[in-house]
Amino acid sequence: MAADPAQTNDIKTTPLNAAHRALGAKMVPFAGYDMPVQYPLGVLGEHKWTRDSAGLFDVSHMGQAFITSTDGRHETVARALEALIPADIVGLKLGQQRYSQLLADDGGVLDDLMVTRSQASADDGSLMLVVNAGCKDADYAHLRARLPAGIALSVREDRALIALQGPLASAVIAGHVAGAERMAFMTAASDRFDGIDIHISRSGYTGEDGYEISMAADKAEAIWTALLADTRVKPIGLGARDSLRLEGGLCLYGHELDPTTSPIEAGLAWSIQKRRREEGGFPGAARIQRELRDGPSRRRVGILPEGRAPAREHTEIRARDGRVIGEVTSGGFGPTLNGPLAMGYVEAAFAAVGTELDLMVRGKALPAKVVALPFVPNRFFRAAKA
Amino acid sequence: MLRFSKDHEWIRVDGSIGTVGISHHAQAALGDVVFVELPEVGKSVEQGGEAAVVESVKAASEVYCPVAGTVTEVNEALPDNPALVNEDPEAGAWFFKLEIADKAQLDGLMDEAAYKAYLETIA
């Protein structure tokens, strides 16, 4: 058994740090923050609780920021952001949220992010961004360097962010935020949680229905505590957050996404809307349009190992003839799947569902095959059409 | 009586045969165990050599052999029920037994009290 790696110094905390410790969380350094990897329930139990009921996550380490146009027009701020990401932002409706990627000039991914237009037209000219903790300083520097005059970046380190995820999340939230159960997936609103001002969106990163709630840092513990008072809710650490998103087939920056991967290789073409594909006008557009037309040289795939042995990140992937054709980017054990699972990149010729591969685990070739993503069906909420 | 290594394995000695597992502290640090890979019977293992693998949802860890020897038996129940490592780490969830090559190597291991004191120093 290897000993735990030593804790690093100079670590940051979220406004909920004391609450995690009071709950008996096991804390680990993650992206420069002291974060709960699991609570006494454990990763397996927390994962299953989120799939069956409602799991509460502290994601305050993520970066929250606004970009704002001095002219107060949506189109101005949207065009400025569109120069840096491939999603259609001009076409965002009031209260709509989109997933996108901050791109390098060669089309590689600098970070993935959520972009939200406020539901209040009085807020127009402003967009809310949520970016990864480990990338946020570089992202903000990139935005400051690249956004044109007249567009200001406002970083909101004074805010906390929590996520409530799972099939019972909407029933729980409905008791605190009037009407939240009727919000559609990927929409957002400014609202009140038991009288506290919040931004709420129907989104998350577990493959389940759920919400992300942003609030002033000094209000985080009141909302966290109110949600945990509900017997349907339990706190969930980063360990289960990772196994949930892996079963959900969702990319994690630094694993499936990095400056060498393009959104097309990563299977994120769905996040680039038609107008942007046609018009281009984002970093790396020539490469991305070429990959959309001709197909990329490699693709992200889901991989199901035979047997019980997990294949971890950096496991070599070989064709049946022994040639190396790729590498695992995330791999482990899926508690809902009740077996090992992995995602990785393979040469495009080996990306079809059903393709047989070998995973090199501790010097042995373990048979595996390419499977469709997600491993566990996503259960995002779609509002009924009126 | 169990003797412990600094890598958090234990060994229980009966004549020339040692039974090896991982400590309660080790299973707690790992979290929910989901996979165990055992050595083949007849394999000879060095002191400190990799003898087995134990994996939680998040990570894989090697189980090192506290003394050199030749594997004589493995716990066939573990691969089908890896959670036993969490439930009964210092008895029922033994990993393997081995014919000890040199019993003098046992002297370098810690007894329970010394291991407890060691855990305090790394906490």
Side-chain angles (χ1 to χ4, degrees):
Chain A
M1 295 293 309
D4 282 344
Q7 298 258 328
T8 54
N9 296 326
D10 275 349
I11 196 149
K12 291 184 272 191
T13 58
T14 75
L16 293 165
N17 192 271
H20 301 314
R21 291 175 179 278
L23 288 163
K26 180 178 170 188
M27 306 298 287
V28 297
F30 179 81
Y33 283 81
D34 184 44
M35 296 297 290
V37 67
Q38 64 173 76
Y39 298 88
L41 179 58
V43 177
L44 279 181
E46 291 170 27
H47 179 112
K48 290 174 178 168
W49 187 269
T50 306
R51 290 265 185 259
D52 293 341
S53 187
L56 186 62
F57 303 75
D58 177 15
V59 286
S60 301
H61 57 311
M62 298 187 75
Q64 301 182 70
F66 288 84
I67 56 171
T68 305
S69 165
T70 48
D71 69 4
R73 294 182 62 234
H74 172 67
E75 184 170 347
T76 308
V77 71
R79 292 260 178 229
L81 188 58
E82 283 194 359
L84 304 178
I85 71 172
D88 178 358
I89 301 302
V90 172
L92 269 186
K93 297 184 184 81
L94 291 170
Q96 193 181 8
Q97 184 173 47
R98 271 198 175 134
Y99 169 79
S100 191
Q101 308 85 36
L102 204 57
L103 295 179
D105 291 330
D106 65 358
V109 180
L110 298 173
D111 195 7
D112 59 342
L113 76 167
M114 289 287 188
V115 181
T116 308
R117 180 180 181 185
S118 169
Q119 97 288 8
S121 54
D123 296 334
D124 256 352
S126 187
L127 294 166
M128 182 180 174
L129 312 180
V130 178
V131 303
N132 280 300
C135 301
K136 62 186 179 184
D137 293 339
D139 290 353
Y140 299 150
H142 180 77
L143 288 165
R144 286 195 178 99
R146 297 292 187 98
L147 288 171
I151 305 290
L153 173 73
S154 163
V155 175
R156 299 302 301 268
E157 291 286 311
D158 59 330
R159 294 189 72 81
L161 189 66
I162 64 179
L164 186 70
Q165 300 277 297
L168 302 187
S170 74
V172 171
I173 285 284
H176 302 276
V177 184
E181 73 280 9
R182 291 190 298 275
M183 293 175 71
F185 181 57
M186 295 296 275
T187 66
S190 294
D191 214 317
R192 282 172 172 261
F193 182 109
D194 297 346
I196 300 168
D197 287 330
I198 57 165
H199 296 296
I200 181 168
S201 69
R202 195 151 198 177
S203 63
Y205 223 63
T206 60
E208 297 295 325
D209 181 23
Y211 300 82
E212 289 191 350
I213 306 168
S214 166
M215 72 289 290
D218 63 355
K219 297 293 192 288
E221 192 152 359
I223 292 177
W224 176 267
T225 305
L227 287 169
L228 279 184
D230 192 311
T231 56
R232 296 169 289 187
V233 178
K234 287 188 188 293
I236 312 296
L238 291 178
R241 184 169 172 81
D242 192 48
S243 57
L244 288 159
R245 71 92 199 166
L246 181 51
E247 281 187 344
L250 299 167
C251 293
L252 180 61
Y253 195 83
H255 298 262
E256 285 68 43
L257 302 176
D258 66 31
T260 73
T261 56
S262 80
I264 309 308
E265 292 174 342
L268 301 174
W270 60 268
S271 69
I272 308 177
Q273 286 74 27
K274 186 161 172 282
R275 175 177 66 79
R276 301 304 317 278
R277 294 185 192 199
E278 290 168 358
E279 291 177 3
F282 49 83
R287 171 190 180 180
I288 285 167
Q289 288 171 322
R290 185 182 70 243
E291 288 180 353
L292 280 165
R293 188 178 63 240
D294 303 336
S297 61
R298 58 174 184 163
R299 289 185 187 275
R300 176 173 65 98
V301 293
I303 300 168
L304 200 64
E306 284 178 23
R308 303 295 292 170
R312 304 289 173 174
E313 186 178 6
H314 303 309
T315 296
E316 193 175 272
I317 305 172
R318 293 189 182 178
R320 278 289 149 86
D321 66 6
R323 195 166 62 83
V324 178
I325 54 159
E327 189 176 286
V328 169
T329 49
S330 292
F333 181 87
T336 303
L337 199 66
N338 190 28
L341 75 177
M343 292 196 289
Y345 282 92
V346 295
E347 292 178 12
F350 295 88
V353 168
T355 304
E356 295 186 339
L357 309 165
D358 285 323
L359 302 172
M360 298 304 295
V361 176
R362 292 181 285 275
K364 281 181 281 191
L366 298 185
K369 65 179 184 207
V370 175
V371 295
L373 293 171
F375 294 93
V376 172
N378 289 330
R379 294 195 289 186
F380 304 130
F381 178 76
R382 310 281 175 183
K385 295 267 185 258
Chain B
M1 169 188 131
L2 301 185
R3 291 184 174 88
F4 293 86
S5 73
K6 288 189 172 178
D7 296 319
H8 309 289
E9 289 87 17
W10 55 260
I11 183 166
R12 190 177 60 235
V13 180
D14 185 9
S16 63
I17 299 294
T19 303
V20 176
I22 70 169
S23 72
H24 180 77
H25 169 85
Q27 71 77 23
L30 276 170
D32 299 308
V33 173
V34 296
F35 176 77
V36 171
E37 187 175 278
L38 298 170
E40 288 182 10
V41 171
K43 180 182 172 161
S44 68
V45 192
E46 294 301 302
Q47 184 176 33
E50 295 171 5
V53 175
V54 57
E55 303 204 21
S56 66
V57 179
K58 279 291 282 180
S61 299
E62 311 288 350
V63 177
Y64 301 110
C65 205
V67 295
T70 304
V71 176
T72 59
E73 192 181 344
V74 297
N75 188 348
E76 304 283 359
L78 282 192
D80 292 334
N81 184 17
L84 196 59
V85 176
N86 298 115
E87 291 156 15
D88 193 15
E90 295 184 2
W94 59 277
F95 278 61
F96 57 90
K97 298 186 183 189
L98 81 171
E99 178 83 34
I100 299 170
D102 176 7
K103 291 185 83 168
Q105 288 181 345
L106 294 166
D107 298 339
L109 301 174
M110 294 173 275
D111 64 14
E112 193 136 17
Y115 180 63
K116 260 192 185 150
Y118 170 67
L119 290 180
E120 300 282 323
T121 68
I122 59 170

